[in-house]
Amino acid sequence: DTAIAGRLWGKSGAMGAVASLSGYLEPPHYPPLAFSIVVNQFEQPVRQVRPVIDEIVLLLGRLRPC
């Protein structure tokens, strides 16, 4: 139920204190993007880091040309 539903193709991963999400995104009002988000050296459980990564992708989906 987001503006990027059906517009994201990605792969997530985690090991130790590293979590990532890489893929392709087609924002509704912006050209297609290739992205990679990698978070490391965090002290929280990965279940707390993943929503932050998801929020970053949602923000990318709101991009508009300048």
Side-chain angles (χ1 to χ4, degrees):
D1 289 346
T2 68
I4 63 171
R7 297 173 176 270
L8 171 68
W9 297 268
K11 175 68 176 108
S12 62
M15 61 184 238
V18 179
S20 64
L21 177 63
S22 298
Y24 301 97
L25 176 63
E26 292 181 348
H29 307 289
Y30 201 81
L33 301 171
F35 70 91
S36 185
I37 302 166
V38 180
V39 182
N40 66 356
Q41 301 296 324
F42 52 86
E43 296 177 5
Q44 299 82 6
V46 72
R47 70 178 179 275
Q48 290 181 311
V49 175
R50 287 215 184 278
V52 176
I53 293 172
D54 293 346
E55 187 65 30
I56 293 168
V57 175
L58 288 172
L59 289 171
L60 288 172
R62 295 173 53 193
L63 283 173
R64 292 181 179 269
C66 294

